[in-house]
Amino acid sequence: MLNDTARASLWAIPAVLLGSLLNILDGVSYGMIIFPTSAPFTDLGPMGVSMFFVSCVLAQLCFTLGGSGFAGANGSMMIEVVPFYHILAARIAYAIGEDKPAEVVATTIVAYALSSVLTGLSFLLLGALRLGALIGFFPRHILVGCIGGVGAFLIETGLTVSMRIPDDDFNIDLETLRFMFLEPQNLALWTIPLALAILLRLITSRWSHQLIFPVYFVVIPVFFYVIAAAARWDLDELREDGWLFDIPGGINGQSESWWKFYTYFDSDRNLIHLEPLWTTLPTQFALLFFNILHPPLNVPALAVSLNEDVDTNKELMAHGYSNILAGAFGTVPNYLVYVNTLLFYRVGGDTRVAGFLLAAATTILLLVGTGPIAYIPVPVVGALIFVLGIDLVKEALWDTRHRVSRTEYITILSIIVAMTVWDFVIGVLFGIVISCFFFVVQNSQRRSIRAFHTGETMVSTVRRPSAQRAYLKEVTKQSTILRLQGFLFFGTITYVEEAIRGIIDALSWQRNPVRFIVVDLTLVAGVDMSAAEAFVRVQRLLAAKYVTLVFCGFTVDSPVGKALESVGVMNSEGVELFSTLNDAMEWTENVYLKAYFRSQKLETSIPFVLPGRQDVDVISSYQSSQNSAGSPRRSMLFEAGSRTIANEIRSPPILEDTATEPLLTLVRAFSSFGDFDFSQFRLLVPYFQRMSVAEGFVLWHQGDNSDGLYLIESGVLRATYQFAEYAQSIEESMVPGTLAGELSALSNLPRNAKTVAERPAVLWKLSNESLRRLETEEPNLARMFTHMVLKSAKIDYDTLLAALAGRQ
């Protein structure tokens, strides 16, 4: 065990050296800018470095000691919090007053620690509720815009650090431009680090080795001191001219203690003001919002890069603990750094021993103090900050130029501009607002009407006699079906309302008067109040024309149903609701059939049974309301019925005196298939066996062996097709005058559906044995009968396929 630990420690040395170097570079670049460079924070850069290392050590220990699933996870401070910290510091300084510098600094440090605690609590809550994956669905372009804003801030910070001027004195105006470009000393101070940053990116664009970055920033100080020694430049003069950092105590070796920031928590001095902390809460929440977006994105990406399987929610819990510890120790937030961890792994730091040694090495860097910072060339830190800023701006503006839509790119650019011109809180809020605006605009341009149909092309799956089917083909032109999709809100419902108004305007009404408008909401995710109230207006408009509004695709207790119920449209006269589009179409077809049979007083003269809901007297009630006998809609029903159903009612002359069953039902089933000698059907009667079944009786299950075909004299059968385990089942009703189970009987294959009696039924069964006997005793008749059965089956299945195709 001890030997294994020693071996792992030796193997981890290169990774620990690299990790320590990265921490030094990050500490100098991030830590030095934690506090603004304006008063009273002018000389707090070294203290910021100490706070950086404390947060880094706490995160490293938390991740290494089992908090993270990545054995070699590297923890560090979040660079993205720096702009928000400058806003916090400025507001606290304004609230307390710059004449009280110690109190301003103490309250600012507490505000930083508070942000760590809030971040930690948020991560713990997200991890406990297992919402890690959910955060990853936050609009990516808003996050990219915020990252670009951080990049612009870092470029600006690189300028202020390089020229050693306070943040408050840097404004984009003519005076600043003169200061930057017309004074040779200042021009050299910021152009050299900028050139070094650009040179690094040119090198890495050609060579992509992971060690180029750290080695580059080790070589620059070496060259700096070689040139300074060769030119015999005095270090104090270089420091005075802004080429080296002026660190109090760092010149004579008496560096500032790493724990200096803890002295501001001295209760005896009573430096902390609570009231300004309340005023910073909006900025704290904006900072929090930005903080919690990174780990849910970084962790899955790192898991893919390292080919490791980790639990995102566990990682969030680890981030929660590490940030609460950071807050308790009075320092800044931290997180698992993607790039550092990836480099650490690639040079052998894939063990917890390596992670622990990195924590120990970082602790040593912390204890050494900030004195060595006095000998770090300012261009090194400036170049580091410029590199980070350029990378983030490039990621936001250049890398996304062909990957996002135009509106998303405008959003990204707008966020960067808002963050640069105003501040980061306004930038984040502006990004969310403009994204919502573009979302509304884009979705308003998407038509919520997925398809338009008439009842002629959108049919139900009910198997009806051919005469009724011919009648419905003509009269269902009076039905219009609108299939809607998406979320219906004030931006999309306009098109729906205009479409319905167009259906019933004078010109369209003259060409094709409508009786039913079926609105299918199956694919609608939700309905807002504006859209629901639009349906109220539509209902009133349709009621004036005696048009029934038929909703389908939802239930009353669903979100869509509750939205429509809240405005009262569901309880209005002339409004119907069905759970599926097929049920709605079945009901409208039944209404048309009922209207014709009732008008001709034929309901008792022939078997007439309707499947589904039985409240189909809508047309009769509208007739009494209209009190007019010459309605074009009713005239169409009667004319179509006289050409179709009336022929079914008039039996062939040869059968008038011998109208017995099952002969009459056979004639009803096949009378429209051509000129046959129906007298031959008498020969079929002995082969059929009459049977009565009660409601709910199961004739067969799907997969059962076929026992024959059934002719329906009265009642209703319902077949249920289940083609796949998780697919939605398909239901088909069969009414008097139709056949059931015919294909399975003729092909002698298993049943393809479960069939039950929806209503008490009288059936005539032609068993397999009787069919074979018919083929032997009456071959010509059997051939003719089989031919008509197949023709009937083709029409029935064409109808079923058409009904299913219309629902795609």
Side-chain angles (χ1 to χ4, degrees), residues 77-96:
M77 168 191 156
M78 292 183 181
I79 182 60
E80 290 81 6
V81 304
V82 172
F84 296 96
Y85 276 178
H86 285 204
I87 297 173
L88 290 174
R91 291 183 177 174
I92 291 172
Y94 177 79
I96 297 176

Side-chain angles (χ1 to χ4, degrees), residues 316-330:
L316 291 180
M317 297 287 285
H319 280 77
Y321 295 131
S322 68
N323 279 279
I324 289 176
L325 278 174
F329 278 81

Side-chain angles (χ1 to χ4, degrees), residues 119-139:
T119 301
L121 291 175
S122 299
F123 281 136
L124 281 178
L125 183 62
L126 290 172
L129 297 178
R130 308 194 66 80
L131 297 176
L134 183 62
I135 302 300
F137 290 106
F138 181 81

Side-chain angles (χ1 to χ4, degrees), residues 511-734:
R511 289 197 307 266
N512 181 37
V514 176
R515 189 176 296 278
F516 298 106
I517 289 185
V518 180
V519 180
D520 180 16
L521 302 180
T522 303
L523 298 180
V524 170
V527 178
D528 76 349
M529 180 173 289
S530 299
E533 290 179 347
F535 281 119
V536 174
R537 294 192 297 271
V538 165
Q539 184 274 328
R540 291 171 183 165
L541 188 66
L542 297 180
K545 290 277 192 176
Y546 299 100
V547 177
T548 301
L549 177 60
V550 182
F551 287 113
C552 63
F554 64 93
T555 58
V556 176
D557 58 351
S558 67
V560 173
K562 290 177 181 178
L564 296 178
E565 186 77 26
S566 66
V567 295
V569 68
M570 300 307 301
N571 299 321
S572 302
E573 184 179 359
V575 176
E576 302 291 341
L577 172 62
F578 296 89
S579 59
T580 66
L581 178 58
N582 184 69
D583 291 343
M585 298 311 302
E586 179 181 290
W587 181 80
T588 59
E589 292 171 359
N590 291 343
V591 171
Y592 289 124
L593 289 168
K594 183 77 171 182
Y596 179 76
F597 278 93
R598 172 161 291 186
S599 67
Q600 302 299 310
K601 297 181 174 56
L602 298 172
E603 292 178 278
T604 59
S605 60
I606 62 173
F608 177 69
V609 181
L610 298 174
R613 270 174 45 177
Q614 299 300 297
D615 53 337
V616 291
D617 291 331
V618 175
I619 294 179
S620 299
S621 62
Y622 276 180
Q623 287 175 357
S624 60
S625 300
Q626 285 179 282
N627 196 23
S628 62
S631 167
R633 291 179 292 186
R634 291 201 307 277
S635 298
M636 179 187 290
L637 299 186
F638 302 149
E639 291 171 5
S642 64
R643 292 191 297 269
T644 55
I645 297 178
N647 293 330
E648 178 188 51
I649 299 171
R650 293 188 291 269
S651 301
I654 194 170
L655 299 178
E656 288 180 358
D657 299 329
T658 55
T660 58
E661 291 293 354
L663 192 54
L664 281 177
T665 304
L666 283 170
V667 171
R668 288 184 62 204
F670 302 119
S671 59
S672 63
F673 294 160
D675 297 329
F676 292 102
D677 184 0
F678 291 104
S679 63
Q680 295 187 42
F681 280 15
R682 297 177 184 277
L683 301 176
L684 291 171
V685 172
Y687 296 94
F688 282 87
Q689 177 185 359
R690 187 179 188 277
M691 59 183 296
S692 298
V693 294
E695 180 178 340
F697 180 81
V698 179
L699 277 84
W700 60 78
H701 290 89
Q702 188 167 339
D704 288 353
N705 293 326
S706 172
D707 60 348
L709 62 84
Y710 295 80
L711 182 66
I712 305 173
E713 177 186 332
S714 64
V716 180
L717 303 185
R718 184 172 290 264
T720 303
Y721 300 88
Q722 189 71 51
F723 295 111
E725 184 177 357
Y726 299 106
Q728 184 178 2
S729 60
I730 300 167
E731 293 190 341
E732 178 189 27
S733 296
M734 292 161 279

Side-chain angles (χ1 to χ4, degrees), residues 331-343:
T331 188
V332 293
N334 51 64
Y335 75 131
L336 186 151
V337 187
Y338 172 85
V339 175
N340 290 19
T341 304
L342 190 61
L343 294 175

